[in-house]
Amino acid sequence: MAEEGMPTPGLAVILVGSRRDSQTYVRMKKKACNEVGISSFGYDYAETVTEEELLSKISELNARDDVHGILVQLPLPTHLDEHTILEHVAPEKDVDGLHSANVASLAMQGTHGDRSEDWSDLSNLPFTVPCTPLGCLELLDRSDVDIAGKHAVVIGRSNLVGLPVSLLLLHREATVTIVHAGTQRIEEHVSQGDIVISAAGKAHLVQPNWLKEGAVVVDVGINSIDLPPEEVKEGGKAYKLVGDVDFDAVQDKCSKITPVPGGVGPMTIAMLLRNTLSACKRSIRS
């Protein structure tokens, strides 16, 4: 884009507080921006920041021509109203896809069930879809997994992953079942899935008896579990990261499965970059 005289995409990231996981995620996002030539602007605030101060900064970023994407790192401290803050981000700059306008666009279809968007090319939608669900679909597409006509089971119903990935799968003509903490005989439902996407946030929840032979599994969960003392190296971490799915136990039963870490996580960051680029292109066209 720079070679063609077009503006450089710009991403502004707002971080509140000193949570180590949030700081790590923000660091990774900024590093990824630098690697691909996206301008990144960081705004770090103490945990005591007022809502008015954050809203003022977001208003300033909404008005800046060099900022095409705005990301508010979640979770926020409890004294801040998450909904109010996310809704203050201009929908066209909401690269997390959490503004109500973008959520509604993902859920909408024609009154008679016809779909006006080309859901086979998610990079050219006229609105923003949350990054992790986009990454899940990208992994399926690049792994040559046929989605249309398949039974997809989504474990989890969050606004960040469960609900939007279910809608994307529906738009791609899958039959979708959502299971969650209130679902009875949950493993029976999951075992019917040709495609299983787990975003429950519970370590090793999914065991071999939960899956049908040849299932395709996308593990969104990232959980830490303590290591046995004999496995802790001197000066090393006393825990390891695992997914919702017991990878070692189920991998021989799956036709395809994503690892944790190193599976959905990198794709989420890649989709954030793509959302920022798409927002920049839409701003040029408008």
Side-chain angles (χ1 to χ4, degrees), residues 62 68-69 89-95 102 128 275 278-280 282-283:
N62 282 339
H68 304 95
V89 176
E92 65 273 14
K93 295 191 177 187
D94 164 37
V95 288
N102 287 318
T128 304
N275 279 352
S278 296
C280 180
R282 287 196 293 267
S283 73

Side-chain angles (χ1 to χ4, degrees), residues 19-199:
R19 284 178 57 118
R20 290 184 179 178
D21 55 347
S22 292
Q23 291 174 333
T24 299
Y25 295 146
V26 167
R27 218 168 24 244
M28 292 168 61
K29 291 165 183 175
K30 290 180 179 177
K31 181 175 181 288
C33 284
N34 293 335
E35 289 175 350
V36 300
I38 291 177
S39 299
S40 64
F41 310 97
Y43 302 93
D44 297 352
Y45 292 91
E47 192 161 346
T48 55
V49 66
T50 65
E51 193 167 292
E52 291 72 22
E53 192 174 353
L54 282 184
L55 295 176
S56 176
K57 174 54 68 175
I58 292 171
S59 293
E60 174 194 318
L61 296 172
N62 282 339
R64 279 176 52 176
D65 291 336
D66 60 338
V67 172
H68 304 95
I70 300 170
L71 183 149
V72 180
Q73 183 64 43
L74 302 177
L76 292 170
T78 55
H79 72 282
L80 300 173
D81 188 281
E82 180 181 293
H83 178 75
T84 299
I85 290 169
L86 294 179
E87 285 293 294
H88 201 63
V89 176
E92 65 273 14
K93 295 191 177 187
D94 164 37
V95 288
D96 251 350
L98 298 176
H99 191 283
S100 59
N102 287 318
V103 173
S105 294
L106 176 59
M108 287 290 288
Q109 60 182 15
T111 54
H112 299 290
D114 56 312
R115 294 171 171 83
S116 58
E117 308 298 347
D118 178 9
W119 294 99
S120 65
D121 183 5
L122 299 177
S123 65
N124 280 323
L125 294 173
F127 56 88
T128 304
V129 176
C131 304
T132 298
L134 269 184
C136 292
L137 270 289
E138 191 75 13
L139 282 168
L140 293 174
D141 287 341
R142 289 178 179 258
S143 301
D144 297 321
V145 175
D146 291 327
I147 298 174
K150 297 297 177 64
H151 185 184
V153 179
V154 177
I155 306 175
R157 53 183 170 180
S158 73
N159 291 332
L160 284 172
V161 183
L163 291 179
V165 81
S166 299
L167 289 167
L168 286 174
L169 290 164
L170 282 171
H171 287 310
R172 294 288 293 273
E173 307 296 345
T175 299
V176 180
T177 298
I178 302 174
V179 299
H180 47 78
T183 302
Q184 297 183 4
R185 300 184 303 279
I186 187 171
E187 64 275 11
E188 293 181 18
H189 295 284
V190 178
S191 67
Q192 298 174 31
D194 304 303
I195 301 168
V196 175
I197 298 179
S198 183

